[in-house]
Amino acid sequence: MIDLDFAERIAAARSTFADIRAVIDVERLEMQITELSEQAGAPDLWDDTAHAQKVTSALSHRQSELKRITELQQKLDDLDVLIEMAREADDADAAAEAGSELDAIEKTLAEMEVQTLLDGEYDARPAVVTIRAGAGGVDAADFADMLLRMYLRWAEQHGYSTTVMDISYAEEAGIKSATFEVDAPHAFGTLSVEAGTHRLVRMSPFGAAGKRQTSFAAVEVIPLLEESAVIDVPEADIRVDVFRSSGPGGQSVNTTDSAVRITHLPTGIVVSMQNEKSQIQNRAAAMRVLQSRLLIMQKEQEAATKKELAGTITASWGDQMRSYVLAPYQMVKDLRTEYEVNNPSAVFDGDLDGFIAAGIKWRKQKPIDE
């Protein structure tokens, strides 16, 4: 007789699924889809391109979320049928298929359960990620480029839309910095746990043979806020420079000086943008990112003041949050959550879900522990 003792696991899966449905509020989600579909069907929708893009993007995100819930419900129902067929036929192959399907369902539920923890004020917003090379010379620039590829591959594997907004290439190899947007459900909440200092230890391909090199890169993640949420920035507080976009090695890309660099004089924050075709579009995009950064900075300062008044001055994030070790052994370890894997190649190819899930759970638990 084949082993089909999945009852406890299936019961647990159904219980978790019911909790997720309640948190997501499927009925409200369906109402939002109906409202957005009506807006998307308006004949004058594309008279305002920016508004149209917001509507269609929001509709696509909510439809994807509902589809995921509906498909998971169907898989749970189909699993019951598959197990019953395997039991009646005493079919080992069908039993193995049922076990594999249950494994996949449990994995999807675990991912969705983590997403329900993303209930911060800006967690649902698109994310703007900036990567900067730190100490380590050429190796640091190369490491920053590796991280850029890692995050873009992660987004690609999940079907998330990304836009590289600005890249500053290093002279010898890699990049000095890069900024890109991820437009996906809960993009900021998901990626915000990646913010911090990343460290790479490896045998340097650029230095003397046989010597290990340690290099660093900083990752900043901010939410891309709605225009109504951003703060006012007086023209007197900014300096705007225009320049020609460039690719690796300084190769000219544009024939006009369409790239824009905005410096916020009171804080020293600098935002560059060269993705759009016109100077006006790049300036508008750069201003939106600048305003988002200023608003987040304002809220962080308010939070820091409250902590100081309460007598708590310990930072929430350490100077180094993750180590990528390629020599003398192979390991990637998050120093906050203790989550680690022994396959750096897979991580650099976008396999980040384990780290992100552990980070979200750690962040949710941390205030309770403190």
Side-chain angles (χ1 to χ4, degrees), residues 17-256:
F17 181 64
D19 291 342
I20 290 172
R21 277 187 63 102
V23 171
I24 291 177
D25 193 348
V26 175
E27 289 72 21
R28 179 178 60 86
L29 187 62
E30 291 173 337
M31 289 176 59
Q32 290 175 338
I33 290 173
T34 299
E35 292 172 1
L36 288 167
S37 296
E38 291 175 355
Q39 293 180 40
D44 60 347
L45 175 69
W46 288 97
D47 290 351
D48 184 342
T49 304
H51 173 69
Q53 289 175 339
K54 288 179 184 177
V55 170
T56 55
S57 177
L59 177 59
S60 176
H61 291 167
R62 284 161 178 76
Q63 286 175 330
S64 295
E65 192 169 10
L66 181 60
K67 181 181 178 183
R68 197 176 187 192
I69 286 282
T70 304
E71 288 181 346
L72 191 54
Q73 177 71 69
Q74 188 62 53
K75 286 180 179 179
L76 280 166
D77 295 340
D78 291 345
L79 182 61
D80 290 335
V81 175
L82 182 59
I83 290 174
E84 186 60 31
M85 290 173 59
R87 182 178 286 112
E88 290 178 357
D90 199 21
D91 187 336
D93 290 339
E97 182 183 350
S100 297
E101 187 64 20
L102 181 54
D103 289 342
I105 288 172
E106 289 173 334
K107 183 176 183 233
T108 301
L109 282 170
E111 293 171 355
M112 295 178 71
E113 195 171 22
V114 168
Q115 186 174 321
T116 63
L117 300 176
L118 301 177
D119 55 1
E121 183 177 0
Y122 303 120
D123 281 355
R125 300 298 305 155
V128 176
V129 182
T130 298
I131 301 169
R132 296 186 179 89
V138 182
D139 280 276
D142 188 51
F143 181 34
D145 199 16
M146 293 164 67
L147 291 178
L148 173 62
R149 179 185 181 277
M150 178 181 77
Y151 289 120
L152 293 179
R153 285 283 294 141
W154 171 83
E156 179 186 351
Q157 290 165 13
H158 287 274
Y160 297 158
S161 172
T162 59
T163 302
V164 177
M165 307 168 86
D166 181 66
I167 292 184
S168 175
Y169 291 95
E171 293 181 4
E172 187 171 339
I175 59 174
K176 296 177 183 176
S177 65
T179 299
F180 63 95
E181 177 188 346
V182 180
D183 187 9
H186 294 88
F188 172 69
T190 301
L191 287 171
S192 59
V193 296
E194 290 295 299
T197 301
H198 297 239
R199 181 184 74 157
L200 173 68
V201 180
R202 65 173 176 178
M203 307 299 290
S204 173
F206 306 102
K211 290 188 177 181
R212 289 198 304 273
Q213 172 73 30
T214 299
S215 53
F216 298 86
V219 175
E220 174 197 76
V221 185
I222 63 170
L224 188 62
L225 303 178
E226 294 279 6
E227 291 180 8
S228 59
V230 299
I231 60 178
D232 181 55
V233 180
E235 285 291 323
D237 284 354
I238 62 174
R239 184 181 71 244
V240 181
D241 301 306
V242 296
F243 58 98
R244 183 163 297 180
S245 300
S246 63
Q251 183 179 8
S252 177
V253 174
N254 291 354
T255 56
T256 60

Side-chain angles (χ1 to χ4, degrees), residues 343-360:
N343 189 354
S345 296
V347 175
F348 280 123
D349 200 38
D351 187 6
L352 286 172
D353 286 344
F355 287 99
I356 290 173
I360 292 171

Side-chain angles (χ1 to χ4, degrees), residues 166 235 238-245 257-265 269-274 278-280 282-283 286-287:
D166 181 66
E235 285 291 323
I238 62 174
R239 184 181 71 244
V240 181
D241 301 306
V242 296
F243 58 98
R244 183 163 297 180
S245 300
D257 293 338
S258 61
V260 172
R261 180 185 300 110
I262 297 180
T263 303
H264 185 248
L265 301 176
I269 294 175
V270 178
V271 178
S272 297
M273 209 63 59
Q274 58 179 305
S278 77
Q279 186 182 123
I280 293 175
N282 279 321
R283 178 184 168 119
M287 277 299 298

